[in-house]
Amino acid sequence: MSKVSEPKIKKWRAATSLVRGGTKRSEFDETSEGIFMTSGYVYDSAENAEAAFKGESTRYIYSRYANPTVTMFEERLALLEGAEYCVGTSSGMAAVFASLLSQLKAGERVVASHALFGSCHYIIHDMLPNFGIDIQFVDGTDLVQWEAALAIPTKAVFLETPSNPTLDIIDLRKVAELSHAAGARLIVDNVFATPILQHPLELGADIVMYSATKHIDGQGRALGGAILSNDAEFIENCLTPFMRHTAPAMSPMNAWILLKGLETLEIRVERHVQNARIIANFLSNHDGVERVLYPGLDNHPQYELAKSQMDAGGTVVTFELIGGKQATFKFLNTLEIVDISNNLGDAKSLITHPATTTHQRLSERDRADLNISESMVRLSVGLEDYEDLLDDLDQALKMMQRD
Ligand SMILES: *Cc1c(COP(=O)(O)O)cnc(C)c1O
């Protein structure tokens, strides 16, 4: 866990924090941050070891607790997020699990939006009840459902906005108010929005988590995750002991890759968004496309809400084709540049068919409730030239329409 101290001169803007935040040079004066591939640390005396274990000195003891490269990653991301604390984890799912299980006890209650990343849904829906935790799902876009669910005392609220794959927007300010009135901490999975486009802590959330595997790496190389918060009681009494003793810890190698990913995060997200907007517009006007879901287009049902809490519409465009599963598969198989892959936030444009991949575990009814049809695809827009992407989408749509 890293507690961040503000830069001395003044608060840095995002681009500066991303390039310089958290850097700790070793005695060798390296430009690029060091990769400290070490599990342990040595003490110059038995007395110093004793003091370290008593918590009388702050120093590295064991990499399950903390590691210098991981610290650099945590501090850099915390500066960007404007959070006092950041904890790196081995993956996004480790961050989700730790943010919930570190603070929950049997008999307590969790409320969550039902449009969640598949594994998040599994943890809440399938696992939490095994620990004696009550759960309730709501349609995240319906404030009446949130009000009813949060009329009962609750320990934690978990949601994702924009949601995967339908890009629904949840009103963070309102749900934060309702959560606090119910005694709950609001945890926001901010992966789709990225730390560049949405700042949940400023909108009232208590905890923000990321899969750093997505945009933060952005180049498909490493798994990682992070939990950020300003809630000292949660970090010190819940999350820190949970991390120390169960240890879904981030590896120093991955921390270094992700630290380098952060350096270019802002400019990459800007380009992802530019390309995504152009593609969303193009698809909206294509006669092979039934419907486009992109929070940055004014035809999105929650465009105004998206504008009020996000700086742009994001890097993912979801759309429905005219035709069933067979036509949709034909479209996917005909793409030449865009790869079929369930990952997202990558430099490479990636497309997935949620109904048969990320959301195939759900029952047909649950998929229908979430509006995930057989003709829906989710496109994570990459950094290629947008004209090439438009050409590729167009030729595949035309091939699909030919049958
Ligand atoms: C990928 C993802 C996760 C899980 O992250 P991993 O790094 O794959 O464990 C959680 N939430 C969302 C929204 C994601 O896209």
Side-chain angles (χ1 to χ4, degrees), residues 90-96 116-120 158 160 162 164 189-192 209-214 222-225 342-344 378:
S90 56
S91 69
M93 287 322 303
V96 172
L116 292 178
F117 181 76
S119 294
C120 300
F158 189 93
E160 178 184 318
N164 175 36
D189 179 338
N190 206 36
V191 171
F192 271 55
M209 54 77 30
Y210 291 101
S211 162
T213 318
K214 311 294 168 54
L223 290 172
N342 47 287
N343 206 356
L344 64 105
R378 185 197 76 193

XYZ file of all heavy atoms in Angstrom, residues 90-96 116-120 158 160 162 164 189-192 209-214 222-225 342-344 378, ligand 1:
263
model
N -2.622 -8.172 -8.296
C -2.119 -9.036 -9.368
C -2.974 -8.988 -10.626
O -2.515 -9.325 -11.705
C -2.045 -10.480 -8.860
O -3.319 -10.874 -8.387
N -4.230 -8.583 -10.498
C -5.130 -8.496 -11.652
C -6.303 -7.617 -11.254
O -6.456 -7.270 -10.071
C -5.645 -9.890 -12.044
O -6.521 -10.355 -11.028
N -7.134 -7.295 -12.218
C -8.339 -6.533 -11.906
C -9.272 -7.314 -11.004
O -9.872 -6.770 -10.071
N -9.400 -8.620 -11.261
C -10.301 -9.419 -10.429
C -9.805 -9.521 -8.989
O -10.601 -9.567 -8.057
C -10.504 -10.820 -11.028
C -11.382 -10.836 -12.272
S -12.789 -9.690 -12.255
C -13.662 -10.217 -10.770
N -8.479 -9.564 -8.809
C -7.940 -9.558 -7.442
C -8.348 -8.259 -6.747
O -8.659 -8.259 -5.547
C -6.419 -9.705 -7.467
N -8.380 -7.156 -7.497
C -8.788 -5.869 -6.924
C -10.262 -5.894 -6.537
O -10.653 -5.386 -5.478
C -8.507 -4.740 -7.911
N -11.083 -6.496 -7.383
C -12.524 -6.576 -7.086
C -12.737 -7.416 -5.824
O -13.431 -7.011 -4.884
C -13.296 -7.223 -8.266
C -14.750 -7.490 -7.895
C -13.216 -6.329 -9.503
N -22.595 -6.104 -15.092
C -21.212 -6.114 -14.617
C -20.361 -6.983 -15.531
O -20.873 -7.882 -16.192
C -21.126 -6.708 -13.209
C -21.751 -5.937 -12.050
C -21.587 -6.744 -10.770
C -21.098 -4.564 -11.879
N -19.069 -6.743 -15.509
C -18.087 -7.631 -16.106
C -18.349 -9.050 -15.568
O -18.654 -9.214 -14.380
C -16.697 -7.126 -15.706
C -15.558 -7.900 -16.261
C -15.190 -7.757 -17.577
C -14.836 -8.769 -15.449
C -14.122 -8.468 -18.092
C -13.772 -9.484 -15.957
C -13.410 -9.336 -17.285
N -18.266 -10.068 -16.437
C -18.672 -11.429 -16.080
C -18.129 -11.936 -14.749
O -18.886 -12.458 -13.923
N -16.843 -11.778 -14.505
C -16.261 -12.317 -13.271
C -16.684 -11.512 -12.045
O -16.761 -12.062 -10.938
C -14.737 -12.352 -13.365
O -14.353 -13.280 -14.352
N -16.943 -10.224 -12.208
C -17.451 -9.410 -11.082
C -18.827 -9.931 -10.692
O -19.162 -10.066 -9.511
C -17.548 -7.933 -11.458
S -15.980 -7.199 -11.935
N -21.541 -1.924 -5.245
C -20.564 -2.154 -6.311
C -21.225 -1.889 -7.654
O -22.320 -2.386 -7.924
C -20.062 -3.603 -6.258
C -18.909 -3.864 -7.173
C -17.595 -3.761 -6.719
C -19.113 -4.189 -8.517
C -16.517 -3.983 -7.575
C -18.052 -4.398 -9.378
C -16.752 -4.298 -8.902
N -20.417 -0.597 -12.078
C -19.523 -0.357 -13.195
C -20.224 0.631 -14.122
O -21.385 0.416 -14.471
C -19.332 -1.706 -13.880
C -18.489 -1.753 -15.092
C -18.513 -3.177 -15.690
O -18.445 -4.164 -14.948
O -18.611 -3.273 -16.920
N -19.153 3.359 -17.577
C -20.138 2.663 -18.395
C -20.031 1.154 -18.178
O -18.964 0.638 -17.903
C -19.733 3.022 -19.824
C -18.831 4.190 -19.730
C -18.185 4.130 -18.397
N -20.436 -2.994 -19.063
C -19.997 -3.897 -20.118
C -21.127 -4.888 -20.417
O -21.595 -5.536 -19.489
C -18.761 -4.649 -19.602
C -18.280 -5.707 -20.549
O -18.333 -5.560 -21.751
N -17.816 -6.806 -19.986
N -16.072 0.240 -10.300
C -15.182 -0.382 -11.285
C -15.101 0.614 -12.450
O -16.042 0.764 -13.219
C -15.796 -1.720 -11.724
C -14.964 -2.445 -12.778
O -14.174 -1.778 -13.469
O -15.141 -3.672 -12.926
N -13.962 1.301 -12.530
C -13.828 2.427 -13.473
C -13.045 2.037 -14.728
O -12.471 2.884 -15.401
C -13.112 3.585 -12.756
C -13.441 4.943 -13.338
O -14.570 5.194 -13.759
N -12.452 5.829 -13.380
N -13.016 0.740 -15.033
C -12.177 0.251 -16.129
C -12.597 0.844 -17.477
O -11.763 1.345 -18.235
C -12.209 -1.288 -16.190
C -11.520 -1.796 -17.449
C -11.531 -1.870 -14.961
N -13.897 0.794 -17.769
C -14.327 1.261 -19.091
C -14.109 2.760 -19.263
O -13.816 3.225 -20.362
C -15.803 0.886 -19.356
C -15.959 -0.456 -19.997
C -15.405 -1.592 -19.409
C -16.629 -0.611 -21.198
C -15.512 -2.840 -19.999
C -16.752 -1.858 -21.804
C -16.201 -2.970 -21.205
N -11.688 0.995 -8.408
C -10.759 -0.070 -8.769
C -10.575 -0.163 -10.285
O -11.433 0.232 -11.063
C -11.130 -1.415 -8.140
C -12.484 -1.980 -8.334
S -12.945 -2.764 -9.894
C -11.483 -3.457 -10.540
N -9.411 -0.689 -10.654
C -9.064 -0.865 -12.070
C -8.558 -2.263 -12.347
O -7.881 -2.858 -11.510
C -7.938 0.102 -12.483
C -8.395 1.531 -12.508
C -8.086 2.383 -11.457
C -9.174 2.001 -13.549
C -8.542 3.685 -11.450
C -9.635 3.302 -13.554
C -9.321 4.139 -12.512
O -9.796 5.415 -12.510
N -8.830 -2.709 -13.566
C -8.017 -3.735 -14.177
C -6.966 -2.961 -14.953
O -7.279 -2.332 -15.961
C -8.868 -4.581 -15.129
O -7.996 -5.289 -15.999
N -5.729 -2.983 -14.480
C -4.649 -2.268 -15.186
C -4.256 -3.010 -16.462
O -3.523 -2.492 -17.300
C -3.441 -2.107 -14.261
N -4.760 -4.245 -16.567
C -4.558 -5.068 -17.761
C -5.088 -4.376 -19.023
O -4.642 -4.675 -20.125
C -5.352 -6.390 -17.576
O -5.179 -6.852 -16.238
C -4.915 -7.443 -18.549
N -6.055 -3.509 -18.850
C -6.742 -2.895 -19.986
C -5.975 -1.652 -20.436
O -4.856 -1.772 -20.866
C -8.198 -2.612 -19.609
C -8.912 -3.818 -18.977
C -9.082 -4.980 -19.946
C -9.511 -6.280 -19.272
N -10.700 -6.221 -18.437
N 0.525 -7.409 -19.830
C 0.616 -7.807 -18.422
C -0.719 -7.670 -17.707
O -1.493 -6.764 -17.988
C 1.651 -6.935 -17.712
N -0.946 -8.573 -16.751
C -2.116 -8.461 -15.875
C -1.767 -7.577 -14.685
O -0.634 -7.593 -14.196
C -2.514 -9.832 -15.336
C -3.111 -10.862 -16.292
C -3.239 -12.196 -15.554
C -4.459 -10.433 -16.808
N -2.752 -6.844 -14.220
C -2.554 -6.049 -13.011
C -3.846 -5.376 -12.625
O -4.796 -5.333 -13.411
N -3.878 -4.863 -11.394
C -5.065 -4.155 -10.940
C -4.688 -3.145 -9.880
O -3.525 -3.089 -9.441
N -11.570 -10.991 -26.594
C -12.414 -10.489 -25.509
C -11.720 -9.424 -24.680
O -12.305 -8.876 -23.757
C -12.837 -11.654 -24.617
C -11.665 -12.528 -24.272
O -11.186 -13.275 -25.133
N -11.161 -12.418 -23.073
N -10.452 -9.110 -24.991
C -9.746 -8.075 -24.228
C -10.209 -6.700 -24.701
O -10.939 -6.573 -25.681
C -8.241 -8.246 -24.413
C -7.463 -7.682 -23.229
O -8.023 -7.103 -22.306
N -6.157 -7.847 -23.279
N -9.753 -5.656 -24.023
C -10.124 -4.302 -24.429
C -9.077 -3.312 -23.929
O -8.214 -3.643 -23.126
C -11.516 -3.932 -23.902
C -11.703 -3.860 -22.397
C -11.770 -2.416 -21.922
C -12.970 -4.562 -21.989
N -19.102 -5.881 -29.370
C -18.445 -4.836 -28.593
C -17.065 -4.585 -29.204
O -16.231 -5.477 -29.249
C -18.301 -5.303 -27.144
C -17.727 -4.241 -26.221
C -17.227 -4.837 -24.925
N -15.956 -5.528 -25.102
C -15.410 -6.339 -24.203
N -16.036 -6.614 -23.079
N -14.232 -6.916 -24.424
C -11.084 -6.875 -17.382
C -12.013 -6.330 -16.400
C -11.961 -6.743 -15.065
C -11.016 -7.816 -14.589
O -9.686 -7.488 -14.758
P -8.503 -8.587 -14.973
O -7.281 -7.747 -14.996
O -8.804 -9.290 -16.240
O -8.559 -9.495 -13.804
C -12.866 -6.178 -14.178
N -13.768 -5.259 -14.581
C -13.835 -4.839 -15.863
C -14.855 -3.820 -16.236
C -12.965 -5.357 -16.805
O -13.048 -4.946 -18.076
